[in-house]
Amino acid sequence: MEIKKAEIKDLNTVVKMKMAMLKTTRRLETSEGTIAVDIEVTDGVSGESLVQGFSITVMPWRSIEEATSLSYNRTMGLFTIKTKHNVAYTITNQAGVKLGEGAIEPLPELTFNKADLSDGVNILELRCGTEVKKIKIVK
């Protein structure tokens, strides 16, 4: 199956596939509120198509501080960070040794296990452009 076309109905804005993500050809403004999108997927062999609609709610810009939350599941020993898009992370231990790093994508959510952390103080650093948020986690 391949995405044949995606169209924002009420704005007539073209949406293109880029690295398995849909991207608009122009910036969406918060004044536009909720936008309806139709995606048409076509099977290259049979030519059969399926159209699925969904909505995008355009939210105002939020700082990394406002957009980030941390939760911990004691039963599973899992930390979950929810934040905004385009955020990179680094986890270091007390000695400054990197325990993990990367981009939080495609969804703005990162889950990691308590067992992956060093004993003592660990620092989770989130970066988005010039914004930086540091979270201290003690194991």
Side-chain angles (χ1 to χ4, degrees):
M1 293 281 206
E2 65 177 330
I3 293 182
K4 187 175 183 179
K5 68 179 180 179
E7 182 179 313
I8 297 177
K9 293 187 277 194
D10 58 346
L11 295 176
N12 201 24
T13 299
V14 177
V15 178
K16 295 183 177 184
M17 283 293 293
K18 184 176 182 183
M19 295 179 64
M21 295 182 73
L22 295 174
K23 300 217 176 191
T24 61
T25 56
R26 69 172 180 82
R27 182 184 176 115
L28 301 178
E29 301 296 333
T30 57
S31 61
E32 296 175 89
T34 301
I35 300 165
V37 178
D38 279 340
I39 304 288
E40 181 178 347
V41 180
T42 304
D43 185 327
V45 177
S46 70
E48 291 184 22
S49 295
L50 171 68
V51 177
Q52 177 65 50
F54 63 96
S55 298
I56 299 171
T57 303
V58 184
M59 304 291 289
W61 182 89
R62 294 183 301 161
S63 69
I64 201 167
E65 186 74 31
E66 295 170 311
T68 302
S69 66
L70 168 69
S71 61
Y72 179 65
N73 180 325
R74 291 177 188 265
T75 306
M76 304 286 289
L78 295 176
F79 289 93
T80 301
I81 303 287
K82 292 185 180 182
T83 189
K84 62 186 193 173
H85 288 281
N86 301 317
V87 173
Y89 75 95
T90 304
I91 303 173
T92 55
N93 65 15
Q94 200 164 338
V97 175
K98 284 185 187 176
L99 304 175
E101 67 180 329
I104 301 176
E105 59 184 24
L107 295 177
E109 187 173 303
L110 171 68
T111 300
F112 57 94
N113 198 300
K114 178 177 114 176
D116 298 334
L117 300 175
S118 296
D119 289 335
V121 176
N122 297 269
I123 302 294
L124 170 64
E125 182 178 285
L126 303 174
R127 294 174 312 285
C128 182
T130 59
E131 291 183 277
V132 177
K133 177 173 180 62
K134 291 184 180 183
I135 300 171
K136 181 167 75 170
I137 302 170
V138 180
K139 177 179 175 189

